[in-house]
Amino acid sequence: LQAAVPGLTVSDVIRDPVFHYPVSEHQSSGSRTIALNLCNRDGANTLNDEFNVFADDLARILAALHQEKPISLIGVPTDPRDALFIRYVASLVPSIPFSLQAVTSPSAYIDAVRRSDLLLGMRMHGIILGARVAGLPVAGFLYSKKVEELVHASGASQDFFSFGPLAVDAAVARFRQLLDQSAMPTFAAQTQDSLRLRMFLTPLVS
């Protein structure tokens, strides 16, 4: 910004505003509900081969969890274009109950995910907002460099899987732990007020 606008000065830095949402309390549904915050980076209506493989692997993970003990799914898209991809993934596991939540604001997103038992996220702001729910296990998939850097900075890498062909058995085991063992560490606990996230500071322009 300073290079692009002559005379512009940056007086201070603040965290990405998404960090400033108040911490909410987790209110478990008690029904093993998984919230899906997924995205198709290549467009709303088409999937390339990489995303088709990812969708198939994720469906296998969800089916395995459901077979062990029933789960339900809610879609929580933070971009309207993501709803089709979330619906597509859910369609691959028709035996699992699914609903798509209307997410009209960050507060509505937080209200939806805090009633789930596990958030599987891909979008950076969806993951961060999920981390504002104290006690909610947050895990997911590293589809972009910025999300990968966020997760590694938080120290929560064990809860996230690299995008591409997924390690299905490892993901099932980890997500099962996060669903069933409330004492497991969560992404939320590791990110709230973490100074290791300084790389995500944004400029406050005067």
Side-chain angles (χ1 to χ4, degrees), residues 46-57 85 88 92 163:
T46 60
L47 293 177
N48 64 21
D49 290 342
E50 185 181 28
F51 266 77
N52 271 306
V53 170
F54 170 76
D56 288 342
D57 284 349
F85 183 54
Y88 174 68
L92 298 177
F163 185 83

Side-chain angles (χ1 to χ4, degrees), residues 2-140:
Q2 286 178 298
V5 183
L8 187 69
T9 61
V10 177
S11 62
D12 199 355
V13 293
I14 61 170
R15 290 185 179 185
D16 187 313
V18 76
F19 283 103
H20 288 283
Y21 278 85
V23 175
S24 299
E25 290 299 321
H26 181 212
Q27 294 185 351
S28 172
S29 67
S31 61
R32 287 168 53 90
T33 300
I34 297 178
L36 299 177
N37 175 240
L38 309 176
C39 68
N40 172 18
R41 65 186 174 195
D42 297 318
N45 299 313
T46 60
L47 293 177
N48 64 21
D49 290 342
E50 185 181 28
F51 266 77
N52 271 306
V53 170
F54 170 76
D56 288 342
D57 284 349
L58 178 53
R60 290 170 57 201
I61 291 167
L62 296 172
L65 290 170
H66 185 60
Q67 186 174 19
E68 294 175 353
K69 191 186 296 184
I71 63 172
S72 60
L73 303 173
I74 61 170
V76 284
T78 46
D79 185 311
R81 296 171 297 177
D82 297 339
L84 283 176
F85 183 54
I86 294 173
R87 284 186 184 276
Y88 174 68
V89 170
S91 75
L92 298 177
V93 281
S95 62
I96 303 177
F98 168 74
S99 64
L100 191 70
Q101 302 293 305
V103 177
T104 56
S105 67
S107 296
Y109 176 84
I110 291 174
D111 190 56
V113 301
R114 74 189 181 99
R115 302 175 194 280
S116 68
D117 301 292
L118 172 64
L119 169 63
L120 297 183
M122 288 177 68
R123 285 199 177 275
M124 185 175 75
H125 287 111
I127 290 170
I128 295 170
L129 284 172
R132 305 305 296 166
V133 179
L136 172 68
V138 179

